[in-house]
Every structure is written in C-alpha cells, then in structure tokens.
Amino acid sequence: MKVYCMEELCCCMKENAFLLDLSLLNDELPDWIEQECGLRELAKALHFMVHKQGSLSGFVTTILRYVGFYGEEIIRETERVLKQGAGLSGIEKRKRQIDYLVKKKKYRPALAGYDELLEKWEEQENPEGTPPAAKDFLAKIWHNKGVACTGLMLYDEAAKCFQRAFELEDREEYRVAYLAAMRMVLQEKEYVAFAAE
C-alpha cells in the first residue's frame, strides 16, 4: 500500500491492524520515516525496536502515539487487535482477519475468505479423526459464515451454515441462529411445522 505522509500511514495501520504481522518490523519503514518525513527521533526509536526484536503492537503504537493523529482510545483498540493476532497459527490468524471483515460489514469478501478457509481445512484435516477443539474451531467458521450470509440476506445459505455449525458443536447460539434463519426462509405454517418437528 502506498502512503505519502505519516497521517496516511497511521490511517492504514489503524484500519488494517488485523492484517499486520512481524514482516513490518524491518528497516525499510524507519528509513522511509527518517528520509521522506524527516522524523529522525521516531525513526531512531523504531530502528531500536527492529533490532532489539520489539513487539509488533509496540512498534505500531509508537508510531500512532508519536504522530498524534488518533486519540488514546483508538490507539488502545488498535493495540488490542494487534495483540489478539500475536501467536496465532496461520489459519487462526486468517479466520480473525475474516471475522474482522464481518464486523466491518464487508460480507462479500468475508464469504470468499470463509470459503477459502473451509477449502484449506478439507485439504488438511481428516474429518473422522478431528479432535474436539478442532471441531469447535470449524463450527465457529461455519457460524461466522452464516452471519456473513445473513448480512447479505442470503437466509437459505445462512441456515445451512448455522445447521453445519450446530452439527459440529451442539451450542445454543448455533441452534438459535439456525432457527432464526429458517424463520426467514419458511412461511409461517411451514416454520411452525418445522419447529415442532
């Protein structure tokens, strides 16, 4: 992503915090900050963090606080998003990124992301021998895909996703979501018969 000033950099970091990873901690960004923006003091602090293996959240919040483009509440929220992503496996981090898209009501890219995740899961996992923790994780993917479908008013597809989540993990919230989606799909008499069954 191309940025031309520190304010644009702060905006990109805040809006895309869920995408940032440790690859950001290199000399290129501090060099750009020093040479293009003339902020030698900030660049020096960032170089120190890069070479002393500082944390990603510390690196980003140092920039945000120095520039002062955002208030402390937004900086803390960005830091929380960054810390949530630290130490996660690739698939867990990707799921969180997609969940963030749902939270921001970007449902179409989220659906594509969940489909990609489910495809990778099927390639890597043995459904017969899936441990309970993995089933719970997979159920969360299906549930969140259903939420994204609901956001696009694709209630029939959402019901299938919620049903799949419920089959994997018997949780009240999955059952309620499934019933609510079916209520949107079926006529009243059909729904009453369905619910009774």
Side-chain angles (χ1 to χ4, degrees), residues 118-144:
L118 290 167
E119 190 175 304
K120 283 182 183 176
W121 185 279
E122 287 173 10
E123 290 171 5
Q124 295 174 358
E125 295 293 324
N126 172 13
E128 305 304 318
T130 305
K135 280 187 179 180
D136 178 53
F137 184 76
L138 185 58
K140 287 177 183 173
I141 294 173
W142 279 105
H143 173 267
N144 293 356

Side-chain angles (χ1 to χ4, degrees), residues 10-46:
C10 290
C11 184
C12 287
M13 288 179 158
K14 181 237 175 213
E15 291 298 319
N16 300 291
F18 65 97
L19 291 174
L20 300 178
D21 60 26
L22 290 173
S23 66
L24 185 67
L25 272 73
N26 62 51
D27 286 325
E28 288 180 42
L29 185 57
D31 288 346
W32 177 82
I33 289 171
E34 182 176 1
Q35 294 162 11
E36 298 296 323
C37 301
L39 299 174
R40 287 182 177 79
E41 188 179 309
L42 176 58
K44 185 178 178 182
L46 296 175

Side-chain angles (χ1 to χ4, degrees), residues 142-160:
W142 279 105
H143 173 267
N144 293 356
K145 181 180 176 186
V147 171
C149 288
T150 302
L152 293 170
M153 294 187 223
L154 303 171
Y155 300 117
D156 193 36
E157 189 64 32
K160 292 174 188 171

Side-chain angles (χ1 to χ4, degrees), residues 65-80:
R65 283 193 176 99
Y66 186 91
V67 175
F69 190 65
Y70 291 111
E72 191 59 32
E73 187 177 324
I74 291 175
I75 293 172
R76 280 196 303 271
E77 172 63 20
T78 304
E79 183 177 30
R80 187 188 62 74

Side-chain angles (χ1 to χ4, degrees), residues 91-122:
I91 196 166
E92 289 171 319
K93 187 161 187 154
R94 182 67 181 130
K95 180 190 168 292
R96 288 220 176 173
Q97 292 167 350
I98 300 166
D99 292 347
Y100 187 81
L101 291 174
V102 172
K103 187 177 178 183
K104 292 294 183 179
K105 299 183 180 181
K106 297 180 190 259
Y107 300 121
R108 290 211 184 276
L111 280 179
Y114 287 129
D115 287 339
E116 175 190 315
L117 264 186
L118 290 167
E119 190 175 304
K120 283 182 183 176
W121 185 279
E122 287 173 10

